[in-house]
């Protein structure tokens, strides 16, 4: 690693192949980020992000860009949790995700958890641009500290736009140096795992998802436009995943 940290970029382009499937004309990655195509399911192409479990460290800057073109279907996951760690280089690490989904295209963005280790300082930004008839399932899961340790500082901002209109723009900061109250009853209430699920479906514009509690620690609210947001907190990553999986199943049945 040099004094300014590691820079790593991964790029995915998914395209309708005209034969009922999805091609991946661009699948590029370097440094700690590596992309691998896995077995497809029907019309959907599947990609796994691997190799990022040992970072980002302080001073690193990782970027992932994915574009799903008109009519294509793509699912992206990760092989393991990503762990934000302190590094020899002082300063904040950055992890930027940029997603673009075209008309009649569908993206499932479902990476494993992001773990904020003690002493780390990470700023994550996720920006999603969707066409009017695009579909999206996006899951974010954040775990504050490994077993028995305090968390690092973690700031996460998520922005989702549909047909140029913002449906969600929110930021959460946790850990040392974060604004007061992040661990209080209005935010995490002492929990150490927090997650959200964004589901965008054109039919939600006609029949919005009703706001409701989804068991203890989770709730769903409709967003402006064809979208719904699930927010969940839990004592650990396993319980958080269970809450979000149950929420997704309920929304798909809606």
């Amino acid at each position: 690693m040099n004094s300014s940290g590691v820079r790593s970029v991964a790029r995915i382009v998914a395209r309708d192949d005209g034969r009922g499937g999805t091609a991946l004309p661009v699948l590029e990655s370097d440094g700690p980020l590596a992309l691998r195509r896995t077995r497809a399911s029907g019309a959907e192409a599947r990609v796994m992000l691997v190799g990022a479990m040992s970072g980002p460290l302080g001073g690193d800057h990782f970027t992932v860009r994915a574009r799903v073109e008109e009519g294509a279907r793509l699912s992206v996951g990760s092989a393991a949790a990503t762990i934000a760690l302190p590094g020899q280089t002082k300063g904040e690490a950055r992890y930027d995700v940029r997603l673009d989904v075209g008309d009649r295209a569908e993206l499932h963005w479902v990476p494993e958890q992001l773990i904020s280790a003690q002493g780390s300082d990470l700023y994550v930004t996720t920006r999603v641009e969707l066409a009017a008839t695009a579909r999206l399932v996006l899951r974010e899961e954040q775990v504050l500290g490994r077993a028995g340790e305090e968390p690092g500082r973690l700031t996460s901002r998520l922005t989702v736009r549909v047909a140029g209109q913002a449906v969600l723009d929110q930021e959460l900061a946790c850990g040392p140096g974060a604004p007061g109250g992040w661990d209080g009853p209005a935010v995490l209430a002492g929990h150490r795992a927090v997650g959200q699920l964004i589901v965008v479906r054109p039919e939600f514009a006609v029949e919005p998802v009703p706001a409701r509690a989804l068991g203890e620690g989770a709730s769903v609210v409709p967003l402006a436009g064809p979208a719904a947001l699930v927010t969940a907190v839990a004592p650990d990553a396993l319980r958080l995943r269970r809450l979000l999986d149950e929420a997704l199943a309920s929304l798909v049945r809606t």
Side-chain angles (χ1 to χ4, degrees), residues 9-174:
V9 179
R11 295 178 63 240
I12 308 168
V13 175
R15 182 173 297 158
D16 184 349
D17 66 6
R19 303 187 301 274
T22 297
L24 297 173
V26 177
L27 197 65
E28 302 173 348
S29 53
D30 61 23
L33 297 179
L35 297 171
R36 300 287 184 267
R37 181 165 190 166
T38 61
R39 184 181 297 274
S41 175
E44 178 184 77
R46 293 183 174 179
V47 173
M48 193 69 67
L49 180 63
V50 301
M53 62 283 288
S54 60
L57 309 178
D60 291 353
H61 190 172
F62 294 175
T63 304
V64 182
R65 299 180 182 275
R67 186 172 82 248
V68 188
E69 298 183 352
E70 183 174 353
R73 297 181 61 187
L74 174 66
S75 178
V76 180
S78 59
T82 296
I83 305 177
L85 296 165
Q88 296 178 355
T89 300
K90 295 289 186 180
E92 177 184 79
R94 293 187 61 92
Y95 202 131
D96 297 327
V97 177
R98 303 291 181 262
L99 309 174
D100 192 328
V101 188
D103 274 314
R104 298 182 296 101
E106 184 168 351
L107 172 63
H108 284 222
W109 188 266
V110 286
E112 294 301 307
Q113 296 92 354
L114 170 61
I115 301 173
S116 175
Q118 188 172 17
S120 64
D121 185 358
L122 178 63
Y123 185 36
V124 181
T125 65
T126 302
R127 296 179 185 171
V128 189
E129 293 282 347
L130 298 132
T133 57
R135 292 173 175 260
L136 173 74
V137 173
L138 183 148
R139 184 184 69 210
E140 286 191 342
E141 298 170 307
Q142 295 154 355
V143 180
L144 305 180
R146 294 169 292 192
E149 75 172 5
E150 291 299 308
R153 179 183 172 101
L154 176 62
T155 305
S156 176
R157 183 173 181 181
L158 173 61
T159 305
V160 179
R161 291 162 56 92
V162 178
Q165 300 297 312
V167 299
L168 181 68
D169 187 347
Q170 69 177 26
E171 182 171 287
L172 176 66
C174 303

